[in-house]
DNA sequence: AGACATATCT
DNA sequence: AAGATATGTC
């Protein structure tokens, strides 16, 4: 590491912005110039904040804070408070958050890790195509659970990733916006799920306030072969909502529900409504959706998926696949 | 004026 | 390339 980075440690003991004057609003370029001059010439030992090394432990703490805060509250300041690490600053958290959101952070010991096999294509190189896939804030899907612990790193921010947008909540980038479509199911007379998914809290509110809406997928009749989220090979499916699935339908991993052949795609939520004897194959990540069972999909209680799942490893597919079988019927009511 | 996201720099 | 810093917006 460059020694310069270690220059200026947090001698002052301030938690926030050690040895560095807090910014107070916009400065004129002249002020900035003067400040630079002072920093370099007059105050020579005030140059650069200590370089924080985000070790696994520190990152774990960071993630713990993320999870603790939950979607909609993953802001640097709050993360900082929850982490309660002496010397750590909000700026540093922001920086780390940025890296994580863009999926460009790697634990120090993993920096030279080589990705093998399936996902290698996007795992190295300057910037991942689907760099936006993580750290959005998950939308709030009432009573929908997501087992983050089963997700690999990279998707660990997911719940925030998807609020990932808000988990990272205030993101405004196009990618994030696109990445967090707001599924809307329009009430119809048909047997779809009225009301659909309604997002609450900052993330959804944010998107809504920006006039952005995801595709309206209400009243869609599923047709085998159609994929919901496959605009390219780097699709991330925050939501997969299948409505009106046909009896005895089987979804394959490469199909609507999952991401076979798609690098590093994660399905954060897979929601099947109105299913009857549907067998779903998916990557392990999808297993996080086991909480879908018995979920109330919207506040109106429009759909209650009361079905059981048998989850077991499947030999028929590649080793990351699980077989999920919904044996019981789904009871959906409007 | 502070917090944030994002761009840029080291 | 990880992390710090600059910049612009709200």
């Amino acid at each position: 590491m460059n020694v310069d980075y270690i220059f200026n440690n947090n001698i002052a003991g301030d938690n926030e912005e050690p040895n560095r004057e807090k910014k107070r609003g916009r400065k004129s370029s002249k002020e900035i110039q003067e400040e630079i001059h002072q920093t370099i010439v007059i105050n020579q030992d005030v140059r650069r904040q200590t370089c924080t090394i985000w070790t696994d432990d520190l990152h774990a703490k960071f993630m713990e804070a993320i999870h603790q805060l939950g979607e909609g509250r993953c802001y640097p300041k709050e993360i900082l408070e929850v982490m309660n690490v002496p010397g750590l600053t909000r700026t540093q958290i922001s920086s780390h958050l940025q890296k994580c959101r863009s999926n460009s952070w790697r634990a120090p010991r993993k920096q030279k890790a080589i990705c093998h096999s399936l996902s290698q294509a996007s795992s190295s190189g300057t910037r991942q195509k689907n760099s936006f896939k993580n750290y959005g804030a998950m939308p709030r899907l009432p009573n929908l659970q997501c087992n983050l612990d089963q997700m690999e790193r990279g998707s660990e921010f997911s719940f925030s990733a998807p609020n990932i947008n808000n988990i990272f909540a205030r993101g405004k980038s196009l990618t994030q916006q696109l990445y967090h479509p707001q599924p809307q199911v329009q009430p119809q007379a048909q047997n779809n799920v009225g009301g659909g998914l309604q997002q609450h809290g900052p993330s959804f509110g944010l998107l809504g306030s920006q006039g952005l809406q995801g595709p309206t997928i209400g009243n869609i009749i599923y047709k085998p072969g159609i994929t919901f989220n496959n605009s390219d090979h780097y699709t991330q499916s925050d939501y997969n909502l299948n409505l009106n699935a046909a009896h005895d339908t089987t979804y394959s991993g490469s199909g609507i529900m999952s991401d076979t052949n798609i690098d590093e795609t994660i399905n954060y939520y897979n929601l099947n409504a109105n299913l009857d004897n549907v067998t779903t194959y998916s990557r392990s990540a999808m297993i996080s959706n086991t909480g879908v069972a018995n979920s109330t999909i919207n506040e109106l209680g429009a759909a209650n998926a009361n079905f059981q799942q048998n989850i077991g490893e499947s030999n028929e597919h590649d080793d990351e696949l699980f077989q999920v079988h919904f044996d019981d019927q789904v009871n959906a009511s409007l």
Side-chain angles (χ1 to χ4, degrees):
Chain A
M1 173 188 300
N2 188 333
V3 175
D4 286 347
Y5 275 16
I6 308 180
F7 248 0
N8 210 8
N9 217 326
N10 182 19
I11 299 170
D14 270 55
N15 255 7
E16 187 72 6
E17 317 300 334
N19 285 340
R20 191 157 60 93
E21 185 181 355
K22 283 188 180 180
K23 283 181 225 166
R24 305 187 196 288
R26 183 111 332 126
K27 293 184 174 68
S28 68
S29 49
K30 185 177 180 181
E31 288 174 308
I32 292 171
Q33 295 260 338
E34 288 176 355
E35 190 170 278
I36 291 171
H37 177 77
Q38 289 180 355
T39 297
I40 294 176
V41 176
I42 299 174
N43 218 356
Q44 291 195 1
D45 48 355
V46 177
R47 285 188 190 172
R48 181 176 284 272
Q49 182 169 296
T50 305
C51 182
T52 298
I53 297 175
W54 286 87
T55 60
D56 279 349
D57 282 350
L58 190 56
H59 178 72
K61 199 158 190 174
F62 171 81
M63 289 309 304
E64 186 182 343
I66 294 291
H67 291 162
Q68 181 179 326
L69 286 166
E71 53 109 352
R73 292 182 56 205
C74 294
Y75 299 103
K77 188 177 180 181
E78 295 212 51
I79 294 169
L80 176 66
E81 290 169 356
V82 172
M83 286 181 71
N84 191 29
V85 173
L88 194 62
T89 69
R90 186 180 55 79
T91 301
Q92 290 171 319
I93 300 232
S94 296
S95 179
H96 188 61
L97 192 55
Q98 182 182 28
K99 289 294 181 185
C100 291
R101 282 169 172 165
S102 64
N103 198 26
S104 58
W105 178 79
R106 295 292 180 275
R109 63 178 170 77
K110 294 181 179 179
Q111 289 178 9
K112 294 189 176 181
I114 298 174
C115 279
H116 308 275
S117 67
L118 296 177
S119 58
Q120 63 294 62
S122 61
S123 60
S124 61
T126 56
R127 194 179 183 87
Q128 299 185 4
K129 286 184 183 178
N130 57 343
S131 60
F132 54 87
K133 77 172 185 173
N134 301 310
Y135 294 81
M138 262 190 213
R140 290 183 186 173
L141 298 177
N143 302 323
L144 193 60
Q145 299 173 11
C146 184
N147 189 347
L148 295 171
D149 292 339
Q150 293 185 15
M151 293 184 179
E152 54 197 327
R153 171 168 287 179
S155 47
E156 59 190 347
F157 281 83
S158 57
F159 103 111
S160 47
N163 182 2
I164 224 185
N165 186 355
N166 218 338
I167 188 186
F168 303 98
R170 289 184 58 189
K172 297 177 186 174
S173 71
L174 177 59
T175 52
Q176 285 183 328
Q177 290 169 347
L178 291 174
Y179 193 56
H180 302 290
Q182 180 175 3
Q184 290 189 334
V185 181
Q186 299 174 339
Q188 302 275 347
Q190 271 196 6
N191 190 29
N192 64 357
V193 182
L197 304 176
Q198 295 185 345
Q199 201 167 8
H200 305 282
S203 59
F204 272 33
L206 176 68
L207 293 178
S209 68
Q210 292 176 335
L212 292 169
Q213 293 184 337
T216 294
I217 57 179
N219 204 26
I220 289 176
I221 305 300
Y222 170 73
K223 297 177 182 178
I226 287 184
T227 302
F228 268 45
N229 298 289
N230 67 340
S231 56
D232 64 21
H233 289 286
Y234 299 90
T235 296
Q236 174 182 0
S237 303
D238 287 340
Y239 313 101
N240 283 297
L241 176 59
N242 300 321
L243 303 178
N244 306 318
H247 182 83
D248 283 331
T249 298
T250 295
Y251 297 107
S252 69
S254 59
I256 200 170
M257 292 296 294
S258 187
D259 56 287
T260 300
N261 301 325
I262 300 176
D263 291 340
E264 297 188 17
T265 296
I266 301 296
N267 294 313
Y268 292 108
Y269 297 108
N270 288 287
L271 179 59
N272 296 320
N274 305 324
L275 305 184
D276 185 359
N277 283 335
V278 174
T279 298
T280 302
Y281 299 104
S282 177
R283 286 186 58 173
S284 56
M286 182 186 168
I287 300 306
S288 63
N289 301 300
T290 53
V292 166
N294 297 317
S295 293
T296 295
I297 297 173
N298 65 18
E299 286 187 326
L300 301 175
N304 289 298
N306 299 312
F307 50 81
Q308 294 180 348
Q309 302 177 25
N310 293 326
I311 302 172
E313 298 197 36
S314 171
N315 295 326
E316 301 174 7
H317 307 280
D318 69 51
D319 57 5
E320 291 194 5
L321 298 182
F322 284 77
Q323 180 175 1
V324 180
H325 188 87
F326 303 97
D327 332 275
D328 294 350
Q329 291 191 357
V330 174
N331 301 314
S333 57
L334 293 176

